[in-house]
Every structure is written in C-alpha cells, then in structure tokens.
Coordinates of all heavy atoms in Angstrom, one line a residue:
E1321 N 21.1 279.7 179.4 CA 20.2 280.9 179.0 C 19.1 280.9 180.1 O 18.5 279.9 180.5 CB 19.7 280.7 177.6 CG 18.8 281.8 177.2 CD 18.1 281.7 175.9 OE1 18.4 280.7 175.2 OE2 17.3 282.6 175.5
V1322 N 18.8 282.2 180.5 CA 17.8 282.4 181.5 C 16.7 283.4 180.9 O 17.0 284.4 180.4 CB 18.3 282.9 182.8 CG1 17.2 283.3 183.8 CG2 19.3 282.0 183.4
V1323 N 15.5 283.0 180.9 CA 14.4 283.9 180.5 C 13.5 284.2 181.7 O 13.0 283.2 182.4 CB 13.5 283.2 179.4 CG1 12.4 284.1 178.8 CG2 14.4 282.7 178.2
R1324 N 13.3 285.5 181.9 CA 12.5 285.9 183.1 C 11.1 286.3 182.6 O 11.0 287.4 181.9 CB 13.2 287.1 183.7 CG 14.6 286.7 184.2 CD 15.3 287.9 184.8 NE 16.6 287.6 185.3 CZ 17.0 287.0 186.4 NH1 16.1 286.7 187.3 NH2 18.3 286.7 186.7
W1325 N 10.1 285.5 183.0 CA 8.7 285.8 182.6 C 8.2 286.6 183.8 O 7.4 286.0 184.6 CB 8.0 284.5 182.3 CG 8.6 283.6 181.3 CD1 9.4 282.6 181.5 CD2 8.5 283.8 179.9 NE1 9.8 282.0 180.3 CE2 9.2 282.7 179.3 CE3 7.8 284.7 179.1 CZ2 9.4 282.6 177.9 CZ3 7.9 284.4 177.7 CH2 8.6 283.5 177.2
I1326 N 8.4 287.8 183.8 CA 8.1 288.7 185.0 C 7.3 290.0 184.7 O 6.9 290.6 185.6 CB 9.3 289.0 185.9 CG1 10.3 289.9 184.9 CG2 10.0 287.8 186.4 CD1 11.5 290.4 185.7
E1327 N 7.0 290.2 183.4 CA 6.3 291.5 183.1 C 4.8 291.2 183.3 O 4.3 290.3 182.8 CB 6.5 291.9 181.6 CG 8.0 292.2 181.4 CD 8.3 292.6 179.9 OE1 8.1 293.8 179.6 OE2 8.5 291.7 179.1
V1328 N 4.2 292.1 184.0 CA 2.8 292.0 184.3 C 2.0 292.6 183.2 O 2.0 293.8 182.9 CB 2.4 292.6 185.7 CG1 0.9 292.5 186.0 CG2 3.3 292.1 186.8
P1329 N 1.1 291.8 182.5 CA 0.2 292.3 181.5 C -0.7 293.3 182.0 O -1.3 293.1 183.1 CB -0.5 291.0 181.0 CG 0.3 289.9 181.5 CD 0.9 290.3 182.7
Q1330 N -0.9 294.4 181.3 CA -1.9 295.5 181.7 C -3.0 295.5 180.7 O -3.0 295.3 179.5 CB -1.1 296.8 181.6 CG 0.1 296.9 182.5 CD -0.2 296.8 184.0 OE1 -1.3 297.2 184.4 NE2 0.7 296.2 184.8
E1331 N -4.2 295.6 181.4 CA -5.5 295.6 180.6 C -5.5 296.7 179.6 O -5.2 297.9 179.9 CB -6.7 295.7 181.5 CG -8.0 295.5 180.8 CD -9.2 295.5 181.8 OE1 -8.9 295.5 183.1 OE2 -10.3 295.4 181.3
G1332 N -5.9 296.5 178.3 CA -6.0 297.5 177.3 C -4.7 297.8 176.6 O -4.6 298.6 175.7
Q1333 N -3.6 297.0 177.1 CA -2.3 297.2 176.5 C -1.8 295.9 175.7 O -2.3 294.8 176.1 CB -1.2 297.7 177.4 CG -1.6 299.0 178.0 CD -0.5 299.4 179.0 OE1 0.6 298.8 179.1 NE2 -0.7 300.5 179.8
E1334 N -0.9 296.0 174.8 CA -0.3 294.8 174.1 C 0.4 294.0 175.1 O 1.0 294.4 176.1 CB 0.5 295.2 173.0 CG -0.2 295.9 171.8 CD 0.8 296.2 170.8 OE1 2.1 295.9 170.8 OE2 0.3 296.8 169.7
E1335 N 0.3 292.7 174.9 CA 1.1 291.7 175.8 C 2.6 292.0 175.7 O 3.1 292.2 174.6 CB 0.8 290.2 175.3 CG 1.4 289.2 176.3 CD 1.0 287.9 175.9 OE1 1.5 287.4 174.8 OE2 0.2 287.2 176.5
P1336 N 3.2 292.1 176.9 CA 4.7 292.3 176.9 C 5.3 291.1 176.3 O 4.8 290.0 176.0 CB 5.0 292.4 178.4 CG 3.8 291.8 179.1 CD 2.6 291.9 178.2
D1337 N 6.7 291.3 176.0 CA 7.5 290.3 175.4 C 7.6 289.1 176.3 O 7.7 288.0 175.8 CB 8.9 290.9 175.0 CG 8.8 291.9 173.9 OD1 7.8 291.9 173.1 OD2 9.7 292.8 173.9
T1338 N 7.8 289.3 177.6 CA 8.0 288.2 178.5 C 6.9 288.3 179.7 O 7.3 288.6 180.8 CB 9.4 288.2 179.1 OG1 9.7 289.6 179.7 CG2 10.5 287.9 178.0
P1339 N 5.7 288.0 179.4 CA 4.6 288.2 180.3 C 4.7 287.1 181.4 O 5.1 285.9 181.3 CB 3.4 287.9 179.5 CG 3.8 287.0 178.4 CD 5.2 287.4 178.0
A1340 N 4.3 287.5 182.7 CA 4.3 286.7 183.8 C 2.9 285.8 183.7 O 2.0 286.3 183.2 CB 4.3 287.4 185.0
P1341 N 3.0 284.6 184.3 CA 1.8 283.8 184.3 C 0.7 284.5 185.2 O 1.0 284.9 186.2 CB 2.2 282.5 184.9 CG 3.7 282.4 184.6 CD 4.2 283.8 184.7
V1342 N -0.5 284.5 184.8 CA -1.6 285.2 185.5 C -2.7 284.2 185.6 O -3.2 283.7 184.6 CB -2.0 286.5 184.8 CG1 -3.2 287.0 185.5 CG2 -1.0 287.5 184.6
L1343 N -3.2 284.0 186.8 CA -4.3 283.1 187.1 C -5.5 284.0 187.3 O -5.6 284.7 188.3 CB -4.0 282.3 188.3 CG -5.1 281.4 188.8 CD1 -5.4 280.3 187.8 CD2 -4.8 280.7 190.2
K1344 N -6.5 283.8 186.5 CA -7.8 284.5 186.7 C -8.6 283.8 187.6 O -8.8 282.6 187.6 CB -8.5 284.6 185.3 CG -7.7 285.3 184.2 CD -7.6 286.8 184.6 CE -6.9 287.6 183.4 NZ -6.7 289.0 183.7
L1345 N -9.3 284.6 188.6 CA -10.1 284.0 189.6 C -11.6 284.2 189.2 O -12.0 285.3 188.7 CB -9.8 284.6 191.0 CG -8.4 284.5 191.4 CD1 -8.2 285.1 192.8 CD2 -7.9 283.1 191.5
S1346 N -12.4 283.2 189.4 CA -13.8 283.2 189.1 C -14.6 283.6 190.4 O -14.0 283.6 191.5 CB -14.3 281.9 188.6 OG -14.0 280.8 189.6
A1347 N -15.8 283.9 190.3 CA -16.7 284.3 191.4 C -16.7 283.2 192.4 O -16.6 282.0 192.1 CB -18.1 284.6 191.0
A1348 N -16.9 283.6 193.7 CA -16.9 282.6 194.8 C -18.1 281.7 194.7 O -19.2 282.0 194.2 CB -17.0 283.4 196.2
E1349 N -17.9 280.4 194.9 CA -18.9 279.4 194.9 C -19.7 279.3 196.2 O -19.2 279.9 197.2 CB -18.3 278.0 194.5 CG -17.7 278.0 193.1 CD -17.1 276.6 192.8 OE1 -16.9 275.8 193.8 OE2 -16.7 276.5 191.7
D1350 N -20.8 278.6 196.2 CA -21.6 278.5 197.4 C -20.8 277.7 198.4 O -20.1 276.8 198.1 CB -22.9 277.7 197.2 CG -23.8 278.5 196.2 OD1 -23.7 279.8 196.3 OD2 -24.8 278.0 195.6
D1351 N -20.9 278.2 199.7 CA -20.2 277.5 200.7 C -20.7 276.1 201.0 O -21.9 275.8 200.9 CB -20.4 278.3 202.1 CG -19.5 277.8 203.2 OD1 -18.4 278.2 203.3 OD2 -20.0 276.9 204.0
A1352 N -19.7 275.1 201.1 CA -20.2 273.8 201.3 C -21.0 273.6 202.5 O -21.9 272.8 202.6 CB -18.9 272.9 201.5
H1353 N -20.7 274.3 203.6 CA -21.5 274.2 204.9 C -22.9 274.7 204.5 O -23.9 274.1 205.0 CB -20.9 275.0 205.9 CG -19.6 274.4 206.4 ND1 -19.3 273.2 207.1 CD2 -18.3 275.0 206.2 CE1 -18.1 273.0 207.3 NE2 -17.4 274.1 206.7
G1354 N -23.0 275.7 203.8 CA -24.3 276.2 203.5 C -25.2 275.2 202.6 O -26.4 275.1 202.9
A1355 N -24.5 274.5 201.7 CA -25.1 273.5 200.9 C -25.6 272.4 201.8 O -26.7 271.8 201.7 CB -24.2 272.9 199.9
S1356 N -24.8 272.0 202.9 CA -25.1 271.0 203.7 C -26.3 271.4 204.6 O -27.2 270.6 204.9 CB -24.0 270.6 204.7 OG -22.8 270.2 204.0

C-alpha cells in the first residue's frame, strides 16, 4: 500500500486528507560574524 502525503495545506482552509509535511521558518537570527 502507498500513501502519498503531497497535498499542500492552505491557510484558512481545513487540513487536507493527506497533507504534505510543512516546515515553518522563524525570523533570521543575528549573524555569527556580527556577534563576533
């Protein structure tokens, strides 16, 4: 059996039956060189 988790969730809509994994990105951190 094969399950395809490929449906892209849309904001403001119900989650699809087979949603794709989504990685949320946070705000950029201070540059290491800047800290140095």
